[in-house]
Amino acid sequence: MQGRRDASHDGAGVRMKFDIDSLTRGLQYHGDVQGKRQHYYVLSNARQYFVMSLSATKRGAGNFNLVARPAVDRLHRRVRGRRGLTARGVFDRSRDRRAVPSALAALNMLYVLVATGRASIDRRRASRELFFNVRKDHA
């Protein structure tokens, strides 16, 4: 089946062309992450990470978000060794709105760091927000 070409944005806000076949070909599985309400699966190709979740109520439905690999690597370099990070805090302190355009994008980037072993979720805090601890070194 031939994928249709569409214009979209990668995780860094850059316009790019893609087709569905190339999006799903050769994906590497990195792991899964349990959020507050959803379970996320993180896969990647050479250019980007895919943060996917399945719907708890609709069978065969779900969502996915694309996150640029270079944006995740820059974030990791910037926040490594920090504890108690939130997606809102990462977004608020970001100077590059193309790399981190929203708190949701920051959250997806933090989920990628967890799935790739570069961060963990601090479950000790009872709050509406998730808190992340980022490792100094890649695991």
Side-chain angles (χ1 to χ4, degrees), residues 2-48:
Q2 188 88 353
R4 185 176 62 118
R5 286 193 164 309
D6 289 316
S8 184
H9 295 279
D10 69 4
V14 176
R15 295 230 2 120
M16 60 183 212
K17 291 269 192 187
F18 65 87
D19 68 56
I20 301 304
D21 293 334
S22 70
L23 278 177
T24 57
R25 189 177 307 122
L27 292 180
Q28 177 186 357
Y29 174 77
H30 292 282
D32 54 296
V33 179
Q34 181 60 49
K36 285 283 186 181
R37 288 177 263 153
Q38 261 324 67
H39 199 85
Y40 299 90
Y41 302 90
V42 177
L43 300 100
S44 71
N45 65 16
R47 296 180 56 201
Q48 56 210 351

Side-chain angles (χ1 to χ4, degrees), residues 55-76:
S55 173
T57 57
K58 295 180 184 175
R59 184 182 306 190
N63 292 306
F64 75 93
N65 292 283
L66 301 176
V67 181
R69 288 181 83 106
V72 172
D73 293 339
R74 277 192 306 274
L75 176 65
H76 181 247

